[in-house]
């Protein structure tokens, strides 16, 4: 258990689960407390964003955790960035000398190749409301994803066991959650920007069946992506697939 104020987590490990997030959602609906976390050494039905399948071979990280909070609506907005910074810091501690960068809102990449991904879901009402965050990371091997580059910690010269990394992420999340509770979103936003791809990076943002190209111009005060288009307009992006174009 972490002793970090504000997030006293507990981690339960399973040999095999369908989906750690589905398990956490079921547990949350049945009263599991804030900080309950679940890890699977093998996951057979992992889920990514927008209904995608998340491949999770044995040896990679598959875990999820529950958050309950009196400021749940504000936390929902901040959560992608709190998790992103915590995940980046935990992964970086096992890859000294390797430059990892965040892609909006919470993918961790190395030289444009995806190392990890996050799925955030919410449910419940009132005092029973919850957020479940699922995190997958390529530790031993990187799955093949059509049209996307992927990489693993092993390929980058590092090594860490899933349980150790899950504990590191939960500890870092507790640190950043306490910072957000004390100082608001501004320091989280600054930390995210410090760990993100460079301003001016060429991006494509999916809108329906089309992509809008432009340049990364930072985040607004709520964490929405700012895209400077080729027409020199700045558009605000609240959701959508982002491609780094180099």
């Amino acid at each position: 258990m972490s002793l970090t104020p504000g997030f006293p987590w507990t981690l339960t490990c399973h040999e095999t689960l369908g989906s750690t997030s589905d398990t956490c959602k079921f547990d949350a609906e049945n009263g599991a407390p804030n900080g309950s976390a679940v890890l699977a050494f093998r996951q057979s039905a992992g889920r990514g964003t927008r209904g995608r399948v998340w491949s999770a071979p044995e040896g990679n990280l598959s875990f999820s955790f529950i958050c309950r909070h009196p400021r749940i609506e504000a936390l929902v907005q901040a959560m992608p960035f709190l998790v992103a910074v915590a995940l980046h810091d935990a992964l970086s501690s096992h890859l000294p000398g390797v430059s990892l960068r965040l892609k909006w809102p919470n993918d961790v990449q190395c030289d444009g190749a995806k190392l990890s991904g996050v799925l955030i879901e919410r449910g419940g009402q009132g005092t029973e409301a919850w957020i479940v965050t699922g995190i997958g990371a390529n530790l031993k091997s990187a799955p093949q994803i059509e049209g996307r580059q992927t990489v693993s910690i092993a390929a980058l010269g590092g090594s860490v066991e899933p349980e150790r990394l899950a504990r590191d992420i939960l500890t870092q999340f507790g640190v950043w959650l306490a910072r957000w509770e004390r100082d608001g979103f501004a320091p989280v936003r600054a930390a995210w920007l410090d760990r993100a791809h460079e301003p001016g990076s060429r991006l494509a943002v999916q809108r329906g069946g089309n992509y809008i190209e432009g340049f990364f111009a930072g985040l607004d005060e709520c964490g929405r992506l700012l895209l400077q288009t080729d027409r020199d307009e700045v558009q605000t992006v609240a959701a959508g697939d982002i491609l780094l174009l180099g």
Side-chain angles (χ1 to χ4, degrees):
M1 177 178 292
S2 168
L3 299 180
T4 304
F7 197 65
W9 52 264
T10 57
L11 178 65
T12 302
C13 298
H14 299 263
E15 285 299 322
T16 304
L17 287 175
S19 161
T20 59
S21 284
D22 286 347
T23 298
C24 273
K25 287 166 66 177
F26 177 84
D27 291 347
E29 289 290 351
N30 286 277
N34 177 49
S36 299
V38 170
L39 179 146
F41 295 112
R42 289 185 295 276
Q43 184 176 245
S44 60
R47 294 184 290 109
T49 56
R50 297 174 182 84
R52 298 188 182 100
V53 173
W54 176 266
S55 177
E58 187 172 358
N60 285 356
L61 176 70
S62 301
F63 97 110
S64 303
F65 62 93
I66 299 169
C67 281
R68 300 184 188 272
H69 200 276
R71 295 168 55 201
I72 194 77
E73 295 301 329
L75 183 57
V76 166
Q77 180 174 298
M79 197 71 176
F81 306 95
L82 290 166
V83 173
V85 174
L87 179 55
H88 177 281
D89 290 356
L91 287 167
S92 294
S93 70
H94 297 286
L95 287 168
V98 176
S99 178
L100 301 181
R101 289 291 172 184
L102 295 174
K103 188 192 80 169
W104 186 86
N106 42 38
D107 280 356
V108 179
Q109 298 187 331
C110 180
D111 294 330
K114 185 170 181 173
L115 181 60
S116 67
V118 176
L119 176 65
I120 298 174
E121 301 172 281
R122 63 172 299 183
Q125 299 292 328
T127 58
E128 301 301 317
W130 48 262
I131 302 169
V132 165
T133 300
I135 298 176
N138 305 325
L139 307 188
K140 299 292 178 64
S141 61
Q144 299 297 312
I145 302 175
E146 185 177 356
R148 303 291 174 93
Q149 291 180 294
T150 58
V151 71
S152 67
I153 281 185
L156 295 172
S159 177
V160 62
E161 293 303 313
E163 184 175 351
R164 168 65 188 278
L165 182 59
R167 292 178 179 275
D168 290 347
I169 294 167
L170 289 165
T171 297
Q172 288 295 328
F173 176 75
V175 170
W176 283 103
L177 178 64
R179 181 76 183 274
W180 172 78
E181 289 173 336
R182 184 179 67 246
D183 300 324
F185 184 63
V188 178
R189 175 180 177 273
W192 190 96
L193 287 167
D194 185 57
R195 292 157 175 77
H197 44 78
E198 296 295 326
S201 299
R202 186 79 175 169
L203 303 178
V205 179
Q206 187 174 21
R207 290 280 178 84
N210 299 315
Y211 280 90
I212 301 172
E213 293 189 18
F215 299 93
F216 176 58
L219 304 179
D220 72 5
E221 293 182 356
C222 296
R224 292 172 294 199
L225 176 74
L226 299 178
L227 181 75
Q228 182 176 348
T229 69
D230 295 333
R231 296 181 179 180
D232 208 26
E233 302 170 340
V234 176
Q235 296 194 12
T236 302
V237 179
D241 275 345
I242 308 296
L243 300 179
L244 283 173
L245 301 180

